[in-house]
Amino acid sequence: MSRTAHYEQERHDLERAVSEVNGEHGLVGHPAIHYLHKNLPFDELIALYLAATSCWSPPFKARHEPRRQGVRDDAFGPHGKLILSEFAGAATELRGAYMVNPHDTDGIKESILLAMNAGPKETRDRMARMVGMIFRRNVYDWAKAFLAALAITAQ
């Protein structure tokens, strides 16, 4: 299977899972999941994060790390939930996210439902862990540590 065919199959499976969740849990005019398949400007993305109760970011496209300036401590809202692929680079750092295998449609659906049904305390605790990690370690910290380890190995 070509990369394009594989990507199209993954997108089809995801859209089917979103449709199933919306069919079971959404209302007319009020879907449980608002699915967007497009790139957005940074400020629009932050606005959506603030409005969202959950977010799933698959690893199929490269992501740019948000700039530190302008990202508030509550950038994902106190009620926000992140559903993240276990294969995403951020998965090792963002342990407060609901981890999914993006190739497991049923698993994605289960994680979405878990996130939707999480209580306020669990949601706040998970988000606080992730936001704390984001402000403690970013891509620059990782690059510095990687280059230091590389320099030690080269000696």
Side-chain angles (χ1 to χ4, degrees):
M1 179 182 286
S2 74
R3 286 181 65 124
T4 302
H6 176 74
Y7 175 80
E8 289 302 320
Q9 183 61 49
E10 292 294 327
R11 182 173 175 195
H12 172 76
D13 291 346
L14 171 63
E15 289 172 350
R16 188 180 81 228
V18 167
S19 179
E20 287 176 15
V21 170
N22 280 339
E24 291 177 27
H25 301 281
L27 301 171
V28 174
H30 297 286
I33 299 172
H34 291 273
Y35 171 70
L36 298 174
H37 180 75
K38 63 180 182 177
N39 294 322
L40 296 170
F42 181 73
D43 32 341
E44 286 182 37
L45 186 61
I46 293 298
L48 286 174
Y49 286 159
L50 285 168
T53 54
S54 22
C55 172
W56 181 52
S57 181
F60 301 123
K61 290 187 178 180
R63 304 280 185 223
H64 295 288
E65 179 182 317
R67 299 169 301 226
R68 244 184 208 197
Q69 65 276 6
V71 178
R72 300 177 1 204
D73 285 349
D74 64 345
F76 297 97
H79 58 278
K81 300 154 191 159
L82 177 63
I83 302 164
L84 187 64
S85 166
E86 60 193 26
F87 305 123
T92 58
E93 302 287 340
L94 299 178
R95 288 294 177 197
Y98 294 86
M99 297 296 172
V100 297
N101 179 331
H103 306 287
D104 176 9
T105 306
D106 290 333
I108 292 169
K109 182 178 172 183
E110 288 172 24
S111 292
I112 290 169
L113 291 173
L114 276 173
M116 286 173 52
N117 294 319
K121 182 178 180 345
E122 178 185 353
T123 299
R124 279 191 309 275
D125 291 349
R126 284 175 174 264
M127 189 54 64
R129 275 196 316 252
M130 290 188 292
V131 169
M133 181 58 73
I134 288 169
F135 284 103
R136 279 193 308 275
R137 284 193 42 91
N138 62 26
V139 70
Y140 303 107
D141 298 324
W142 176 87
K144 189 190 252 179
F146 178 79
L147 291 173
L150 191 61
I152 290 170
T153 305
Q155 292 178 359

